[in-house]
Amino acid sequence: MASLLNTVPSIRLSSFKCNPLRAPHLSYPISLTPSRSRFVVRATETDSEVKAKVPDKAPPESGSSINQILGIKGAKQETDKWKIRVQLTKPVTWPPLVWGVVCGAAASGNFHWTPEDVAKSIVCMLMSGPFLTGYTQTINDWYDREIDAINEPYRPIPSGAISENEVITQIWVLLLGGLALGGLLDVWAGHDVPVIFYLAVGGSLLSYIYSAPPLKLKQNGWIGNFALGSSYISLPWWAGQALFGTLTPDVIVLTLLYSIAGLGIAIVNDFKSIEGDRAMGLQSLPVAFGSETAKWICVGAIDITQLSVAGYLFSVGKPYYALALLGLTAPQIFFQFKYFLKDPVKYDVKYQASAQPFLVLGLLVTALATSH
């Protein structure tokens, strides 16, 4: 619900830079006045004087059509504006937010396989994934265009494949569409207090200050990555749980704890951007501590979080769920040593594809544990 409902949904309330969440995985600092919207977005668009010369187009053989539509590195240069618009929303980052909604619905203990409940959950997923996470990714690319000109010069914005007016229009459409869906879900659920709308507003605001000056949370590796992790894990979970049940303090604390694992996942995506982050003065953890130390901080955040949650489940009398979570953590540690710790840049995709399915299953196990 990156947010929140980007960003972030029920817990997500979206958003697991899925770093989900530049990644992760709701009132706005941007003025809603049409005549001012463009001005505000552009007024702080540049926080560096670094300029990069960007080729007009990339060699056709250098990119993949699949990577292009998913919005990941190695994309084929595209001219179709709708494909470019989808690329900016980075569909590859939507699944963690969608999964967060599933976890929140499961944790509520009140989801039933009826057409109405299924329809509600789908709308919540659309809010958290395509709309608010899409908003988060698009605005992040807008403020990252100079870094991308260094790291990924063929991305749509630095290459000039899409105009600034088209990008700004997309940001507003996705933001307002996501907020509207949040309000609709509150009415549908019969809420006296528009909890889901508030989560959407909070997640969207978090997404904005993550990417935009003057706060630009992503400049600090600790704060930025935790914000990203919470957007991808907590917000969608909260949204899903609020849609079908009631958010409780223990669930809020547990999901925020799990967001530390999200911080670790966000660090994985920082390694491939070291050159650009250093040039732009961003203190990502690989830049601040060096790759060797940062990779251990990354796996430590992921593993210690899950072991701590398993310990909590044991302490509250749910040993079977705790054992299941430990069983899902073990293969993650195996793949960390097999891929990530050997070379976090070369094997980042292999590591995430191999290990993250076990992490998201662990989230569901934790959600089911809290519902019983």
Side-chain angles (χ1 to χ4, degrees):
M1 247 204 184
S3 18
L4 172 243
L5 299 172
N6 163 271
T7 121
V8 204
S10 93
I11 59 175
R12 202 163 319 114
L13 319 185
S14 122
S15 216
F16 295 113
K17 213 217 292 210
C18 58
N19 226 341
L21 157 186
R22 276 170 69 91
H25 69 92
L26 311 153
S27 58
Y28 293 124
I30 307 177
S31 169
L32 290 177
T33 304
S35 63
R36 299 280 298 173
S37 62
R38 180 177 174 185
F39 173 79
V40 175
V41 172
R42 298 182 59 194
T44 57
E45 65 186 12
T46 302
D47 57 351
S48 171
E49 295 303 318
V50 175
K51 302 291 181 184
K53 183 178 180 180
V54 183
D56 290 334
K57 58 182 182 178
E61 68 274 9
S62 69
S64 160
S65 295
I66 294 177
N67 288 15
Q68 187 277 323
I69 206 67
L70 291 177
I72 58 179
K73 194 171 183 178
K76 174 184 177 182
Q77 192 77 354
E78 186 56 71
T79 57
D80 184 288
K81 281 296 172 65
W82 284 106
K83 288 184 179 180
I84 292 172
R85 289 185 180 282
V86 172
Q87 180 181 2
L88 283 175
T89 67
K90 294 187 178 69
V92 72
T93 65
W94 301 351
L97 285 298
V98 170
W99 190 253
V101 173
V102 171
C103 291
S108 73
N110 198 36
F111 174 84
H112 304 287
W113 288 99
T114 63
E116 182 178 12
D117 280 4
V118 170
K120 285 180 181 177
S121 65
I122 291 174
V123 172
C124 193
M125 291 171 185
L126 287 173
M127 174 192 69
S128 301
F131 279 91
L132 292 178
T133 302
Y135 153 78
T136 297
Q137 298 296 344
T138 304
I139 200 170
N140 185 71
D141 268 21
W142 172 253
Y143 285 108
D144 266 5
R145 62 194 181 283
E146 292 186 359
I147 294 179
D148 287 340
I150 297 171
N151 294 323
E152 301 176 78
Y154 301 127
R155 289 199 57 76
I157 296 176
S159 70
I162 187 169
S163 72
E164 77 171 33
N165 285 338
E166 290 170 324
V167 175
I168 292 171
T169 297
Q170 175 160 321
I171 289 170
W172 281 104
V173 168
L174 293 173
L175 172 59
L176 296 178
L179 294 177
L181 289 178
L184 171 64
L185 287 169
D186 280 317
V187 173
W188 200 347
H191 291 161
D192 294 327
V193 177
V195 179
I196 298 175
F197 176 78
Y198 288 158
L199 287 174
V201 170
S204 301
L205 175 59
L206 182 61
S207 297
Y208 180 81
I209 64 175
Y210 173 82
S211 300
L215 293 180
K216 199 162 189 171
L217 300 181
K218 68 191 299 178
Q219 292 181 113
N220 182 292
W222 294 107
I223 297 174
N225 285 334
F226 183 77
L228 192 64
S230 62
S231 294
Y232 274 80
I233 298 177
S234 300
L235 286 178
W237 182 318
W238 295 346
Q241 186 157 346
L243 180 60
F244 296 102
T246 303
L247 279 176
T248 57
D250 59 322
V251 168
I252 292 175
V253 171
L254 190 62
T255 51
L256 287 175
L257 175 63
Y258 239 119
S259 296
I260 297 175
L263 177 151
I265 293 171
I267 297 172
V268 173
N269 296 291
D270 286 340
F271 286 92
K272 66 178 181 291
S273 304
I274 292 176
E275 179 184 350
D277 289 348
R278 183 178 290 118
M280 301 299 290
L282 299 183
Q283 289 297 302
S284 67
L285 294 186
V287 170
F289 293 95
S291 295
E292 190 65 25
T293 300
K295 69 184 182 182
W296 285 101
I297 294 174
C298 174
V299 299
I302 294 172
D303 298 341
I304 293 173
T305 295
Q306 294 177 93
L307 294 175
S308 298
V309 173
Y312 166 77
L313 294 178
F314 268 118
S315 71
V316 295
K318 298 179 180 178
Y320 296 113
Y321 289 103
L323 288 172
L325 183 55
L326 289 174
L328 291 168
T329 304
Q332 296 176 60
I333 296 174
F334 170 78
F335 288 119
Q336 286 164 1
F337 280 93
K338 182 176 182 180
Y339 294 125
F340 185 72
L341 292 173
K342 285 184 178 179
D343 190 330
V345 176
K346 181 178 180 180
Y347 295 117
D348 68 324
V349 174
K350 281 188 176 181
Y351 164 67
Q352 294 190 72
S354 302
Q356 285 196 16
F358 295 100
L359 186 144
V360 298
L361 285 174
L363 276 172
L364 181 59
V365 167
T366 303
L368 292 172
T370 62
S371 70
H372 291 81

